[in-house]
Every structure is written in C-alpha cells, then in structure tokens.
Amino acid sequence: MSRIFDAIKNAQRVREGKVHPNAPVEGAVEIPDRRRSRRWSLDVSVYVYGHGPTKEPFHEEAHTLHVNANGALLLLSVPVKRGQILLLTNQLTEKEQDCRVVFIGTRRSSTVEAGVAFPLTNPEFWNLPART
C-alpha cells in the first residue's frame, strides 16, 4: 500500500512542478507502455455493426471508455468474440472505421468491455491531435 501512496504523492509533486516528471519513485518498478499511441479517456457515442455467431447482423449504439489512434475500449451489450470484425460509425463526425476485437475485458451486469484495433492508425476518426 505504501508504494501506491508514494506514487500518488510523487504525481502531486510533479503537477506542482517540484519534481521532474521522469524522476523515479523510490522502490518503483518501471513498466514499459506497450501502446502505440497515447490513450484518451473519452466517452464517444458510436454505432457498432457486425454479425453474431449465427451470422445474423446486429447493430447497437455504444460508448467508448478509452480511445487512441489505433482503436478503443468499448462498452457493448452485444456479445462479441476475439478476432471478430466490426464497423464503427462515430456519431459526432459520421466517420466510419473497420476494426477487429482484440480484447474482451470486464463483464458487467448487461455489458462487456471490448478492446478494438484499427488496421491502420487513424486519429482523425476520434478527432484526436495528429501526434498522439
């Protein structure tokens, strides 16, 4: 528990400008960030289109929990499987983007977290800055 407290205190000192952001916290272990682009916590409304296990088409209005230039973490009520191809439509911009389910996360009462990846980096889909 003290390492968590130390990390929080260090983050506060960084925000206040008292410590350099890259200064190591005592006892901390550095974990490399494997993401290809910066992650943003954004609630974006998207339409999700796909095919169910019986090849029946489905669509639903869903929301993102996190987005980046390479994909998103979606909150879905329709069951999906890893490797499944989906089509997303950003409700705000009406842009479309193909994606593949790469992660199935926490299952909530009637929803599931699904991580999706774009075939090519596309920050414009979310209206993110070009250098993310």
Side-chain angles (χ1 to χ4, degrees), residues 27-128:
V29 177
E30 185 173 336
I31 299 171
D33 187 2
R34 298 182 314 190
R35 287 183 182 81
R36 294 176 284 167
S37 60
R38 180 177 174 191
R39 181 162 96 177
W40 304 79
S41 293
L42 289 177
D43 179 4
V44 178
S45 295
V46 292
Y47 291 117
V48 180
Y49 301 90
H51 288 87
T54 60
K55 300 296 181 193
E56 286 294 316
F58 70 84
H59 71 279
E60 84 166 274
E61 183 177 340
H63 293 271
T64 62
L65 298 173
H66 302 285
V67 302
N68 69 23
N70 299 295
L73 183 62
L74 303 172
L75 198 54
L76 299 173
S77 61
V78 174
V80 293
K81 294 184 178 181
R82 233 180 128 159
Q84 186 172 351
I85 302 295
L86 302 173
L87 174 69
L88 303 182
T89 302
N90 184 325
Q91 289 186 26
L92 181 64
T93 64
E94 297 185 1
K95 293 179 184 176
E96 295 182 348
Q97 175 65 58
D98 289 327
C99 62
R100 178 181 302 275
V101 177
V102 294
F103 171 79
I104 302 295
T106 307
R107 297 185 192 282
R108 300 178 184 188
S109 59
S110 62
T111 59
V112 64
E113 293 177 1
V116 296
F118 301 157
L120 298 171
T121 300
N122 186 3
E124 292 82 24
F125 182 73
W126 307 114
N127 283 336
L128 295 177

Side-chain angles (χ1 to χ4, degrees), residues 3-14:
R3 286 193 297 199
I4 294 170
F5 181 74
D6 290 342
I8 291 170
K9 292 293 263 181
N10 188 54
Q12 289 172 339
R13 288 189 295 249
V14 167

